[in-house]
Structure formats: C-alpha cells, structure tokens
Amino acid sequence: MSKESEQAIRPPSERFVLGLDLDGCVADFYGYMREVAAEWTGVPVEELTPDVSYGMPEWKLLPNEYPRLHRFAVTQRDLFKEMAPVPGAPQSIRRLGTEGIRIRIITHRLFIRWFHEIAVAQTVRWLDNHAVPYWDLCFMRDKEAVDAHLYVEDTPENIGRLVEQKRKVIVYGNSANATGLPESEYVLARVTDWSEAEELIREEYYSWLKQEGADLPPSVGVKAPWHDLL
C-alpha cells in the first residue's frame, strides 16, 4: 500500500472491543446440561423442563449437588467441548470480527477447583472447532473488571454489575433471564437470536466509528479499509 493510500484511510484510535460471554450466549449451555442432568439423575430428559432459571432449580437437584454435576459434565461428558453453538452465533461473530471488532471472550468457567486445565483446553478446542474468532480469552467471574466498549451477557447478576459500572450491555435472552433484569439506559436490548444481536452490535460499532471519524467497512462481513493497519 502506498503512502498516499495510507494517508487517505481514516482508522480509529483503537479497535472496538466486544466483551462476549460464552455459556447461554454463544454456546447452548442449558441444552447440553439438560442431557447430562438427565443421565446424572436418572430422570428422562423429556421430564426435565428446558425452561430453567439461573442455577437450574427446576431440575430438583439435591442441596449442593450442582458442583458435582458440573464436574461430571466437564470431566466425563466434555461439556465445554461438546455443546452445540447457539444458532447463528459463530457466523455473526465471524462477520463482526472481519469488520474490525476485537472479540474479547469473557467467561466464568473456572469456578470449581482442580480441573481448570481441562476446562480451558475444552474451551479453546470448542472455539476452534466452530471457527469462533477471538483476540482475547479471559476466564473471569467479574466481567466488569475486563474493559470492553460493549458486552453480550445472559446472567442477571453479571448484567447488574455491568450496569452499576455504566457498561453498555446487550442481554442474550433465555429462560434464566426472563425476569429480574435492571431497567437502565445501559441495557441496550434483550435479544433472542443472533441476527438481532449482530444488527445491534453493528449499529453500536458503526456509531462509534463515526464518532472516531474512521472509515466504515464497505459492507457487512467485509474488512474496513484500515483493518490491516491496527
């Protein structure tokens, strides 16, 4: 690229960062856990409702049983490697990444001790297998501690903390967040499919690019002119 061409290109000062939760937003956590829970409890899967709240009390696990179920799901049934993607998620994320968004995965998958290596390895394998692009992979409980311009999250507690810190968030809707969400200008929307999520993320991203005085991507899923300069 010539110096004249580079001078004509208007890049942003930095890349726009999307803080992206995995379970319940990109990976179908509840769908696969329902299958594992049916095996664990001996209850036919048809008798376990797919419409659960956070912590899955509707499946009537014994007190303090969930950590053991979770450990079994990860170590014996490859939970983080075998889950199906949420429909449309990998394709949308690939398009957004190509357009110049920095994808920052922020997931709380290390909350049970002594098998972190397995959880991390399965996560990386899953992301690669489904061609989900990312620049950063953060295993964090406190999502608000990791900077991003916009977050996609499904856990009500995490959404509440993001809002308290005045972070913009798109809620990926499922039965676990059907109620209890904060009313705030920082909750941009609650969406239930990735076509809607992608459109909202792109709107926020393009608005930010315009504020930066930067060139927009020429079309959906196409590199911005400055893509290789940053």
Side-chain angles (χ1 to χ4, degrees):
M1 182 180 294
S2 67
K3 291 184 178 180
E4 291 77 10
S5 298
E6 288 186 12
Q7 290 174 352
I9 293 173
R10 298 173 301 166
S13 60
E14 59 182 343
R15 285 190 182 269
F16 183 94
V17 177
L18 177 65
L20 191 59
D21 180 45
L22 285 181
D23 297 328
C25 296
V26 180
D28 185 10
F29 175 80
Y30 293 106
Y32 192 69
M33 277 299 292
R34 183 169 173 246
E35 297 178 20
V36 177
E39 179 186 4
W40 176 264
T41 61
V43 176
V45 68
E46 296 80 10
E47 295 182 17
L48 297 180
T49 176
D51 297 323
V52 294
S53 52
Y54 186 71
M56 300 170 287
E58 294 80 3
W59 293 345
K60 302 187 186 306
L61 300 173
L62 297 173
N64 301 315
E65 188 176 16
Y66 179 76
R68 291 188 290 128
L69 169 60
H70 185 91
R71 184 185 297 273
F72 173 79
V74 175
T75 61
Q76 305 304 313
R77 295 297 177 264
D78 293 337
L79 172 67
F80 296 142
K81 189 174 70 173
E82 296 300 329
M83 286 186 290
V86 172
Q91 295 81 6
S92 289
I93 297 165
R94 286 198 291 270
R95 284 189 289 268
L96 294 167
T98 299
E99 291 176 38
I101 290 179
R102 181 175 182 132
I103 306 298
R104 179 167 290 164
I105 304 293
I106 314 171
T107 181
H108 181 35
R109 288 184 166 181
L110 306 183
F111 74 98
I112 298 177
R113 295 179 178 179
W114 317 132
F115 63 101
H116 291 179
E117 181 180 0
I118 295 173
V120 171
Q122 288 184 13
T123 298
V124 172
R125 178 67 62 85
W126 189 91
L127 291 165
D128 287 350
N129 281 349
H130 295 288
V132 176
Y134 60 96
W135 286 52
D136 315 291
L137 178 54
C138 309
F139 291 87
M140 298 283 293
R141 185 194 69 172
D142 301 326
K143 308 294 182 74
E144 72 280 2
V146 181
D147 285 337
H149 294 90
L150 176 65
Y151 297 78
V152 178
E153 177 62 55
D154 74 314
T155 302
E157 182 181 355
N158 293 337
I159 295 164
R161 289 201 298 262
L162 288 168
V163 167
E164 287 176 1
Q165 296 295 318
K166 299 182 179 180
R167 308 295 184 92
K168 292 182 179 180
V169 58
I170 293 172
V171 177
Y172 200 89
N174 52 48
S175 61
N177 57 39
T179 60
L181 295 177
E183 294 185 7
S184 170
E185 62 181 304
Y186 295 101
V187 177
L188 301 189
R190 181 178 184 270
V191 302
T192 55
D193 66 75
W194 261 95
S195 61
E196 188 178 2
E198 178 182 350
E199 183 177 348
L200 287 170
I201 293 166
R202 185 174 289 111
E203 286 178 5
E204 192 70 17
Y205 173 46
Y206 282 20
S207 175
W208 178 84
L209 286 175
K210 290 175 182 177
Q211 291 176 9
E212 287 275 308
D215 295 313
L216 273 60
S219 60
V220 170
V222 177
K223 285 183 178 182
W226 45 262
H227 188 280
D228 297 325
L229 299 179
L230 291 182

